[in-house]
Amino acid sequence: MQTIKKIFAKISLPHIIIVVFFLSMLAAAAPLGLSVRSLIGDTLRRWAMYGILVLAMVPAIQSGIGPNFGISLGIVGGLLGATVSIEMGLTNPWVAIIVAMLIGATIASVLGILYGLLLNKVKGSEMTVSTYVGFSVIAFMNIMWLSLPFSSGTLIWPLAGMGMRNNISIIDSFGHVFNNLFSFCLLGDKTTGIFVPTGLILVFLAACLAMWLFLRSKTGIAMSAAGENPQFTRAAGISGNKMRIIGTAISTSLGAVGIIVYAQSYGFLQLYNAPLMMGFHSVAAILIGGASTKKATIANVIIGAFLFQGMLAVALPVVNKVLPESNLPDVIRIIISNGIILFALSKSKGG
Amino acid sequence: MPKFRELVGNNKVALLFGLLCIGAIYTAQNPLTFVAAELFTRIGRNGFMVLALLIPVLAGMGLNFGIVIGAIAAQIAVFWTVYWGFTGSEGFLLCLLLSTPIAIFFGWLVGRVFNKMKGAEMIAGLVLGYFADGLYQLFFLYVIGGLIPVHNDRLIISGGIGVKNTIDLAGNLKYSLDNVPMLQIMKIALAVLFLVTLLKAILGVMKKKPPGPRCWIGLGAAPIIYALTYIPALQTFLSSDRLLLLHAVLAALGAVIAWQLWRILYNKILRPKEYSLVRPLVWIGLAAVGFFLTNIRPLEAILLSVRIPVTTYLCIIGLCFFNAALLKTRLGQNMRTVGQSQTVANAAGINVDRTRIIAMIISTLLACWGQLIYLQNIGTFSTYGAHTQVGQYAIAALLVGGASVKKATNKEAVIGVILFHTLFIVAPQAGKELFNNAQLGEYFRVFVAYGVIAVSLAMHAWKRAVSPGPKRIKT
Amino acid sequence: MKDISKEYFGNPVLKNVTLQVKPGEIHALVGENGAGKSTLMNILFGMPVIHGSGGFAGQVEINGAPVTIDAPHKAIDFGIGMVHQDFMLIPGFTVTENIKVGREISCPTLLSQIFSKELETLDLEQMAADARRALREIGLNIEEYVLVAGLPVGYKQFVEIAREIDKTGIKLLVFDEPTAVLTESEAERLLKLMELIAKKGIGIIFITHRLGEVMHYAHSVSILRDGELIMRTAVKDTSMVKIAELMIGRKTEKYVDSVPNQLESVEIALSLQDFHVDMPGEMVRGIDLDIRQGEIFGIGGLAGQGKLGIANGIMGLCRSQGKVFVWGRELNLGRLGAALASGIAFVSEDRRGIGLLLDQSIEHNLVFSAIHVQEEFLINLKLFKLYHRRKARKHALKMIELLDIRCTGPAQKAGSLSGGNQQKVCLARALTLNPKILIVSEPTRGIDIGAKKLVLEYLLELNRQQGMTIIIISSELVELRSLCHRIAIIADGKVAKILQPDAPDAEFGLAMSGS
């Protein structure tokens, strides 16, 4: 009884709105003649493919830097890793994706450490600074995407010979490797059933498990404590700044891995301005999952990613059925994601 | 020499960007007349918006990313004005009338939100801007035509619900402010002067103070100047709405000389007191040099090629004066106090929350008017895009001018607009010349906008982390 | 002020206190920390703290007429001003602007007549003239248009005074420890100025710890102790020793019955040499101390004198200078955690700020330091070390029983415990480290009498049975005197005197006021 009460006390109005919205969309799907099964399949896929990007928020929030709007740094690292991997022309998709992840995570952790050093200097304004650092990095990479000396035909524009494509197809390299691993269809065949991307879900859950273990390791405990009360950890002889850097670096590397997992499921690498607002979406997702700007758990990630992505996966076809060719789901996403961030900000102090 | 170093040190950001601009202009090899013409158009278009940012900075609320909301207020008004079919200056006036209460209301809301998130105003403003954008889209895409019946093929998407992507303002609001002739402005100004003096006199009489000579001069001068405008030569000159840059510069130089002469006259003869003649004479000398400079060929070419919209520029100059005048009032001083230390302000009996809300209302309202000026100049209204980058670019421009999160002045705003937009104009061409890719220049200027904000915010936060400011009082 | 009584949530902090100040009189108000001085001043100024917690009993009278002061601006209207210890000045403003803050002189304009007074323009010349006059009045020779940021500390205090003087009809001025942050010559100048102001017929309440200043400058003095007025007398009728005795003196009811056993060992456990600590508000300015093995050593003194800085400096929480030896081995002060590694454990005075992770369980709080200092309670998986939950839980249950921590279980969040139980958790965490030296800072601050007794008894037991060297830093002299072998009194960041617990009250009082 006590625990149920506690859970109810934690649920706030924005969360209720989102859950009600999600359920009503789901309820509206069947009468509109949409396949509920394919909607659920879609929800599952989007949940797992965005999941790691949401997970990347956990070490950042726990180490005390708050929601990492600058996850774009990690995303850019991941995109670099992926493009290098494609440029190398690796034929085995497994090798290709692992190489991409390794390169991406390496670049991202180096960037993350530098970024962590910066964030240690701007305590109290991490969110504002990280937002604009994220924007700047994307803008800087726009210049880079135009001028980096890549030569693979899949990467660059065919005619001009200069600059990379907006959308790079990765079906030939490592597209869908995780999605198709152990995948099966529930309640029907390929066209009517629920497509379960087992490999993708496993990767996501494995990442969650790894994070869960990390938070219970010696370093993880110290990091969370430093995030909650840096004075306390200092008294135990631990440098809070170092812990913040570790948290930032892990968050950033997870961003790199996350974008690769996302891309392999989507089938395309999106360069240029595509990742600009991804940081906001990840932040919104974990906040929807019940996290605050000070505390986040793995459960927040799993629930948040599911609600946020599920809501979009279901709302898109439903709304399109009612108002064809509209971008109402997009509008709703903007309102909900920024609304929830605003709500979380009003509950905490400092920017 | 240390003074010189200080000068450089205080203006290093502006200097750096100045050099960058010169380099970019040099590489781009655009004709200077083109750059100048473009620049003056853009100053007229964007200057007002940048100046709208100053007051929140003074009130300690940082860079107001929430001015997007002011822009939204303007756009709502523009839509209805166009829909009802008002055009020209009437249309513009209607826009003003419609948007002002909306903007005040929005500003009040934003101020309330910011008071809940003291210390996090900037990130709150940013997110609030996005949030408001979402609501705006919802309103324009679904409510208009969906819930509110609107029938107009030019404005509404063919299905009957939602506003089209772009609204053409040519033929209704385009240049509705730019095209107001000088004569009309002058008439309005004179009428206002007349009425204000009259009102003052009446208020004075009510308080049993007979109107002094200044009052009579004001009342008398207005009709006389008004009569002067009927001299044919003056009338033709004033009935135009654009002013050749050359004339503007000459007028400005003349004004400088006249003002300095008046100062000398006032301080030496009318109210004799200790007054050094060095400063005014230097100013007069500079004005004379300026006059000779206008005769240099390339400069003259530029001056002759640019025509500036007088009314818009007057609005911008007026706003500069407004910002300066506000600082000299009790309200302005309260804002500064609140901006410097909320504890001290509280102890001195200043209502902190109220002062902050007033600052936000003023800023939002000014941003709203700024967006009206922008839209009437650019002539096409991109329904879903016009406001999105407003905050970003205005803030970047202000920072380029050397302002910071804590300090911003009119001068910095104006310099910032000039430098930032020069870079904007020449960057694509420079990119093309340097790398054979105009897109690169395009991306570069976006990077500059984001980058300058990121660096400025980081530097501010860095400084704040090092020196925590005035000590907090124990309770 | 007559018969003022005040309770905070049933806790009486002022009992029938009467305070009288005549025009032109400098009246000193002295007392230990927590004697009720600040509460009394808060009542005088109508601070929201007072009225938010149920008001007060008694009556404030000005010139014989009873008045109600329920908001700070009313106090200002009645001509009561305050010179704050940490300045209420805006560094980015000029002297004029600071003097006139919130009380700017303005002229009406057309807009202000239509809208509100806020739109009146400032009369800068008149403001500057007023500021000049106020500055001249107190004999401060600075230009009124310079920025306060560039002024030396002493001058800032003078600007504050100028601001109060400038207020029209000022009748009573409160100086709250005005000399605490000043150098000797600055302090002297300030006190001279105070006399000057008093000569103009303004009453002055002078709050200070420095009895020397009281003897020299004040006309009369009131001594507060535990919320009671002990004595009001003219300064010339009393002596410094008398005042000191009255400030401290109380029935030395002992919390713990103990006769300090004579120490045989002479081995030095901890030694400080020329030790400086940069802790804001608690600066330590060069201390030499030798603490013997197996000793309970007390460190006392008034708040702000530096006693807290000592512990925070040793533990590396604040920047420090000088030498610290632990059993003869020098401690590397630059390295965070060096003290912990050499067997010193610390229970912080700032329980909620430094001492606890409020949002985490008791269990986590207990084992945290041990995990990181000694790698206890971990499963070593070679690649990384995982939290050993079972072992930690067992230990937590043991500690809860041992120290009688009242809780629903080891999983309860530390933030939801009562003050006394939180203190026990902090103590238990320090003990989990099995320290050789235990430093306990303000062990009984804000906890109830039962818990107080238990904590102190347990400390004594640790010392007696395990021979643990314990350093207790406390503002409560009684506590130190009932427990310690020796007590060092810290004043002005230095050791004023090392006393035996049975030394006379007056000696303690004089040591505390630094004379």
PDB file of all heavy atoms in Angstrom, chain A residues 111-135:
ATOM      1  N   LEU A 111      36.409  13.669 -26.544  1.00  0.00           N
ATOM      2  CA  LEU A 111      35.624  14.909 -26.535  1.00  0.00           C
ATOM      3  C   LEU A 111      34.933  15.086 -25.193  1.00  0.00           C
ATOM      4  O   LEU A 111      34.880  16.188 -24.639  1.00  0.00           O
ATOM      5  CB  LEU A 111      34.565  14.872 -27.644  1.00  0.00           C
ATOM      6  CG  LEU A 111      35.057  15.016 -29.076  1.00  0.00           C
ATOM      7  CD1 LEU A 111      33.907  14.844 -30.042  1.00  0.00           C
ATOM      8  CD2 LEU A 111      35.701  16.377 -29.271  1.00  0.00           C
ATOM      9  N   GLY A 112      34.431  13.973 -24.659  1.00  0.00           N
ATOM     10  CA  GLY A 112      33.706  14.019 -23.401  1.00  0.00           C
ATOM     11  C   GLY A 112      34.580  14.497 -22.258  1.00  0.00           C
ATOM     12  O   GLY A 112      34.130  15.258 -21.398  1.00  0.00           O
ATOM     13  N   ILE A 113      35.840  14.061 -22.253  1.00  0.00           N
ATOM     14  CA  ILE A 113      36.740  14.488 -21.175  1.00  0.00           C
ATOM     15  C   ILE A 113      36.988  15.992 -21.281  1.00  0.00           C
ATOM     16  O   ILE A 113      36.892  16.730 -20.291  1.00  0.00           O
ATOM     17  CB  ILE A 113      38.063  13.700 -21.245  1.00  0.00           C
ATOM     18  CG1 ILE A 113      37.806  12.256 -20.835  1.00  0.00           C
ATOM     19  CG2 ILE A 113      39.110  14.320 -20.336  1.00  0.00           C
ATOM     20  CD1 ILE A 113      38.944  11.318 -21.095  1.00  0.00           C
ATOM     21  N   LEU A 114      37.242  16.460 -22.501  1.00  0.00           N
ATOM     22  CA  LEU A 114      37.456  17.903 -22.693  1.00  0.00           C
ATOM     23  C   LEU A 114      36.200  18.679 -22.285  1.00  0.00           C
ATOM     24  O   LEU A 114      36.259  19.693 -21.592  1.00  0.00           O
ATOM     25  CB  LEU A 114      37.785  18.189 -24.159  1.00  0.00           C
ATOM     26  CG  LEU A 114      39.102  17.597 -24.653  1.00  0.00           C
ATOM     27  CD1 LEU A 114      39.278  17.864 -26.137  1.00  0.00           C
ATOM     28  CD2 LEU A 114      40.262  18.180 -23.861  1.00  0.00           C
ATOM     29  N   TYR A 115      35.076  18.135 -22.708  1.00  0.00           N
ATOM     30  CA  TYR A 115      33.790  18.756 -22.420  1.00  0.00           C
ATOM     31  C   TYR A 115      33.545  18.781 -20.911  1.00  0.00           C
ATOM     32  O   TYR A 115      33.073  19.770 -20.344  1.00  0.00           O
ATOM     33  CB  TYR A 115      32.741  17.934 -23.154  1.00  0.00           C
ATOM     34  CG  TYR A 115      31.321  18.352 -23.009  1.00  0.00           C
ATOM     35  CD1 TYR A 115      30.945  19.675 -23.090  1.00  0.00           C
ATOM     36  CD2 TYR A 115      30.329  17.384 -22.830  1.00  0.00           C
ATOM     37  CE1 TYR A 115      29.616  20.017 -22.982  1.00  0.00           C
ATOM     38  CE2 TYR A 115      29.020  17.716 -22.728  1.00  0.00           C
ATOM     39  CZ  TYR A 115      28.659  19.035 -22.792  1.00  0.00           C
ATOM     40  OH  TYR A 115      27.350  19.361 -22.682  1.00  0.00           O
ATOM     41  N   GLY A 116      33.923  17.682 -20.254  1.00  0.00           N
ATOM     42  CA  GLY A 116      33.791  17.613 -18.802  1.00  0.00           C
ATOM     43  C   GLY A 116      34.639  18.669 -18.116  1.00  0.00           C
ATOM     44  O   GLY A 116      34.215  19.299 -17.152  1.00  0.00           O
ATOM     45  N   LEU A 117      35.855  18.869 -18.638  1.00  0.00           N
ATOM     46  CA  LEU A 117      36.721  19.910 -18.074  1.00  0.00           C
ATOM     47  C   LEU A 117      36.050  21.265 -18.188  1.00  0.00           C
ATOM     48  O   LEU A 117      36.069  22.070 -17.256  1.00  0.00           O
ATOM     49  CB  LEU A 117      38.063  19.929 -18.818  1.00  0.00           C
ATOM     50  CG  LEU A 117      39.008  18.770 -18.494  1.00  0.00           C
ATOM     51  CD1 LEU A 117      40.194  18.773 -19.433  1.00  0.00           C
ATOM     52  CD2 LEU A 117      39.470  18.872 -17.055  1.00  0.00           C
ATOM     53  N   LEU A 118      35.446  21.504 -19.357  1.00  0.00           N
ATOM     54  CA  LEU A 118      34.737  22.780 -19.544  1.00  0.00           C
ATOM     55  C   LEU A 118      33.584  22.897 -18.546  1.00  0.00           C
ATOM     56  O   LEU A 118      33.422  23.918 -17.877  1.00  0.00           O
ATOM     57  CB  LEU A 118      34.203  22.883 -20.980  1.00  0.00           C
ATOM     58  CG  LEU A 118      33.272  24.066 -21.227  1.00  0.00           C
ATOM     59  CD1 LEU A 118      34.043  25.365 -21.179  1.00  0.00           C
ATOM     60  CD2 LEU A 118      32.533  23.936 -22.546  1.00  0.00           C
ATOM     61  N   LEU A 119      32.801  21.828 -18.433  1.00  0.00           N
ATOM     62  CA  LEU A 119      31.625  21.888 -17.557  1.00  0.00           C
ATOM     63  C   LEU A 119      32.018  22.095 -16.098  1.00  0.00           C
ATOM     64  O   LEU A 119      31.266  22.677 -15.334  1.00  0.00           O
ATOM     65  CB  LEU A 119      30.779  20.627 -17.708  1.00  0.00           C
ATOM     66  CG  LEU A 119      30.021  20.503 -19.017  1.00  0.00           C
ATOM     67  CD1 LEU A 119      29.160  19.260 -19.026  1.00  0.00           C
ATOM     68  CD2 LEU A 119      29.147  21.723 -19.266  1.00  0.00           C
ATOM     69  N   ASN A 120      33.197  21.619 -15.724  1.00  0.00           N
ATOM     70  CA  ASN A 120      33.654  21.864 -14.344  1.00  0.00           C
ATOM     71  C   ASN A 120      33.913  23.341 -14.093  1.00  0.00           C
ATOM     72  O   ASN A 120      33.874  23.804 -12.972  1.00  0.00           O
ATOM     73  CB  ASN A 120      34.931  21.080 -14.065  1.00  0.00           C
ATOM     74  CG  ASN A 120      34.618  19.650 -13.713  1.00  0.00           C
ATOM     75  OD1 ASN A 120      33.487  19.328 -13.382  1.00  0.00           O
ATOM     76  ND2 ASN A 120      35.612  18.795 -13.790  1.00  0.00           N
ATOM     77  N   LYS A 121      34.195  24.062 -15.159  1.00  0.00           N
ATOM     78  CA  LYS A 121      34.466  25.491 -15.000  1.00  0.00           C
ATOM     79  C   LYS A 121      33.183  26.312 -14.954  1.00  0.00           C
ATOM     80  O   LYS A 121      33.210  27.475 -14.585  1.00  0.00           O
ATOM     81  CB  LYS A 121      35.313  26.012 -16.175  1.00  0.00           C
ATOM     82  CG  LYS A 121      36.650  25.325 -16.314  1.00  0.00           C
ATOM     83  CD  LYS A 121      37.649  25.875 -15.319  1.00  0.00           C
ATOM     84  CE  LYS A 121      38.990  25.232 -15.540  1.00  0.00           C
ATOM     85  NZ  LYS A 121      39.742  25.129 -14.298  1.00  0.00           N
ATOM     86  N   VAL A 122      32.117  25.739 -15.407  1.00  0.00           N
ATOM     87  CA  VAL A 122      30.886  26.535 -15.529  1.00  0.00           C
ATOM     88  C   VAL A 122      29.785  25.986 -14.638  1.00  0.00           C
ATOM     89  O   VAL A 122      28.622  25.995 -14.991  1.00  0.00           O
ATOM     90  CB  VAL A 122      30.398  26.599 -16.994  1.00  0.00           C
ATOM     91  CG1 VAL A 122      31.443  27.245 -17.850  1.00  0.00           C
ATOM     92  CG2 VAL A 122      30.059  25.228 -17.537  1.00  0.00           C
ATOM     93  N   LYS A 123      30.178  25.513 -13.463  1.00  0.00           N
ATOM     94  CA  LYS A 123      29.198  24.918 -12.552  1.00  0.00           C
ATOM     95  C   LYS A 123      28.044  25.870 -12.298  1.00  0.00           C
ATOM     96  O   LYS A 123      28.250  27.057 -12.075  1.00  0.00           O
ATOM     97  CB  LYS A 123      29.864  24.565 -11.235  1.00  0.00           C
ATOM     98  CG  LYS A 123      30.525  23.227 -11.282  1.00  0.00           C
ATOM     99  CD  LYS A 123      31.141  22.870  -9.962  1.00  0.00           C
ATOM    100  CE  LYS A 123      32.187  21.810 -10.216  1.00  0.00           C
ATOM    101  NZ  LYS A 123      33.165  21.744  -9.162  1.00  0.00           N
ATOM    102  N   GLY A 124      26.857  25.316 -12.327  1.00  0.00           N
ATOM    103  CA  GLY A 124      25.689  26.142 -12.085  1.00  0.00           C
ATOM    104  C   GLY A 124      25.034  26.597 -13.374  1.00  0.00           C
ATOM    105  O   GLY A 124      23.884  26.980 -13.386  1.00  0.00           O
ATOM    106  N   SER A 125      25.774  26.584 -14.474  1.00  0.00           N
ATOM    107  CA  SER A 125      25.164  26.975 -15.755  1.00  0.00           C
ATOM    108  C   SER A 125      25.353  25.882 -16.795  1.00  0.00           C
ATOM    109  O   SER A 125      25.423  26.163 -17.981  1.00  0.00           O
ATOM    110  CB  SER A 125      25.773  28.259 -16.288  1.00  0.00           C
ATOM    111  OG  SER A 125      25.975  29.173 -15.266  1.00  0.00           O
ATOM    112  N   GLU A 126      25.453  24.639 -16.329  1.00  0.00           N
ATOM    113  CA  GLU A 126      25.787  23.568 -17.274  1.00  0.00           C
ATOM    114  C   GLU A 126      24.795  23.464 -18.420  1.00  0.00           C
ATOM    115  O   GLU A 126      25.184  23.268 -19.565  1.00  0.00           O
ATOM    116  CB  GLU A 126      25.838  22.216 -16.562  1.00  0.00           C
ATOM    117  CG  GLU A 126      27.007  22.036 -15.635  1.00  0.00           C
ATOM    118  CD  GLU A 126      26.616  22.316 -14.211  1.00  0.00           C
ATOM    119  OE1 GLU A 126      25.579  22.995 -14.016  1.00  0.00           O
ATOM    120  OE2 GLU A 126      27.329  21.895 -13.310  1.00  0.00           O
ATOM    121  N   MET A 127      23.517  23.622 -18.093  1.00  0.00           N
ATOM    122  CA  MET A 127      22.521  23.357 -19.136  1.00  0.00           C
ATOM    123  C   MET A 127      22.596  24.383 -20.263  1.00  0.00           C
ATOM    124  O   MET A 127      22.588  24.027 -21.432  1.00  0.00           O
ATOM    125  CB  MET A 127      21.127  23.338 -18.517  1.00  0.00           C
ATOM    126  CG  MET A 127      20.841  22.036 -17.817  1.00  0.00           C
ATOM    127  SD  MET A 127      19.144  21.926 -17.309  1.00  0.00           S
ATOM    128  CE  MET A 127      19.242  22.618 -15.687  1.00  0.00           C
ATOM    129  N   THR A 128      22.691  25.650 -19.902  1.00  0.00           N
ATOM    130  CA  THR A 128      22.769  26.682 -20.925  1.00  0.00           C
ATOM    131  C   THR A 128      24.021  26.486 -21.766  1.00  0.00           C
ATOM    132  O   THR A 128      23.978  26.519 -22.995  1.00  0.00           O
ATOM    133  CB  THR A 128      22.847  28.079 -20.281  1.00  0.00           C
ATOM    134  OG1 THR A 128      22.216  28.037 -19.031  1.00  0.00           O
ATOM    135  CG2 THR A 128      22.235  29.109 -21.154  1.00  0.00           C
ATOM    136  N   VAL A 129      25.151  26.285 -21.095  1.00  0.00           N
ATOM    137  CA  VAL A 129      26.405  26.149 -21.831  1.00  0.00           C
ATOM    138  C   VAL A 129      26.365  24.913 -22.713  1.00  0.00           C
ATOM    139  O   VAL A 129      26.706  24.964 -23.892  1.00  0.00           O
ATOM    140  CB  VAL A 129      27.598  26.089 -20.850  1.00  0.00           C
ATOM    141  CG1 VAL A 129      28.873  25.778 -21.591  1.00  0.00           C
ATOM    142  CG2 VAL A 129      27.735  27.393 -20.103  1.00  0.00           C
ATOM    143  N   SER A 130      25.886  23.794 -22.132  1.00  0.00           N
ATOM    144  CA  SER A 130      25.940  22.561 -22.916  1.00  0.00           C
ATOM    145  C   SER A 130      25.012  22.640 -24.125  1.00  0.00           C
ATOM    146  O   SER A 130      25.333  22.117 -25.185  1.00  0.00           O
ATOM    147  CB  SER A 130      25.614  21.349 -22.048  1.00  0.00           C
ATOM    148  OG  SER A 130      24.272  21.371 -21.646  1.00  0.00           O
ATOM    149  N   THR A 131      23.886  23.320 -23.989  1.00  0.00           N
ATOM    150  CA  THR A 131      22.997  23.462 -25.142  1.00  0.00           C
ATOM    151  C   THR A 131      23.733  24.138 -26.290  1.00  0.00           C
ATOM    152  O   THR A 131      23.725  23.663 -27.429  1.00  0.00           O
ATOM    153  CB  THR A 131      21.772  24.323 -24.777  1.00  0.00           C
ATOM    154  OG1 THR A 131      21.162  23.755 -23.646  1.00  0.00           O
ATOM    155  CG2 THR A 131      20.790  24.372 -25.909  1.00  0.00           C
ATOM    156  N   TYR A 132      24.405  25.239 -25.970  1.00  0.00           N
ATOM    157  CA  TYR A 132      25.051  25.968 -27.056  1.00  0.00           C
ATOM    158  C   TYR A 132      26.333  25.325 -27.519  1.00  0.00           C
ATOM    159  O   TYR A 132      26.697  25.454 -28.695  1.00  0.00           O
ATOM    160  CB  TYR A 132      25.203  27.446 -26.679  1.00  0.00           C
ATOM    161  CG  TYR A 132      23.982  28.155 -27.179  1.00  0.00           C
ATOM    162  CD1 TYR A 132      22.860  28.264 -26.403  1.00  0.00           C
ATOM    163  CD2 TYR A 132      23.915  28.574 -28.499  1.00  0.00           C
ATOM    164  CE1 TYR A 132      21.709  28.807 -26.893  1.00  0.00           C
ATOM    165  CE2 TYR A 132      22.774  29.124 -29.010  1.00  0.00           C
ATOM    166  CZ  TYR A 132      21.664  29.237 -28.199  1.00  0.00           C
ATOM    167  OH  TYR A 132      20.514  29.754 -28.705  1.00  0.00           O
ATOM    168  N   VAL A 133      27.016  24.600 -26.627  1.00  0.00           N
ATOM    169  CA  VAL A 133      28.161  23.831 -27.094  1.00  0.00           C
ATOM    170  C   VAL A 133      27.659  22.786 -28.093  1.00  0.00           C
ATOM    171  O   VAL A 133      28.237  22.586 -29.160  1.00  0.00           O
ATOM    172  CB  VAL A 133      28.902  23.179 -25.915  1.00  0.00           C
ATOM    173  CG1 VAL A 133      29.899  22.145 -26.411  1.00  0.00           C
ATOM    174  CG2 VAL A 133      29.625  24.231 -25.107  1.00  0.00           C
ATOM    175  N   GLY A 134      26.546  22.139 -27.747  1.00  0.00           N
ATOM    176  CA  GLY A 134      25.976  21.145 -28.656  1.00  0.00           C
ATOM    177  C   GLY A 134      25.637  21.751 -30.009  1.00  0.00           C
ATOM    178  O   GLY A 134      26.008  21.215 -31.062  1.00  0.00           O
ATOM    179  N   PHE A 135      24.958  22.894 -29.998  1.00  0.00           N
ATOM    180  CA  PHE A 135      24.601  23.565 -31.257  1.00  0.00           C
ATOM    181  C   PHE A 135      25.858  23.905 -32.053  1.00  0.00           C
ATOM    182  O   PHE A 135      25.922  23.682 -33.265  1.00  0.00           O
ATOM    183  CB  PHE A 135      23.826  24.855 -30.970  1.00  0.00           C
ATOM    184  CG  PHE A 135      22.399  24.628 -30.546  1.00  0.00           C
ATOM    185  CD1 PHE A 135      21.636  25.681 -30.049  1.00  0.00           C
ATOM    186  CD2 PHE A 135      21.811  23.383 -30.655  1.00  0.00           C
ATOM    187  CE1 PHE A 135      20.321  25.488 -29.656  1.00  0.00           C
ATOM    188  CE2 PHE A 135      20.500  23.181 -30.262  1.00  0.00           C
ATOM    189  CZ  PHE A 135      19.763  24.236 -29.756  1.00  0.00           C
TER     190      PHE A 135
END
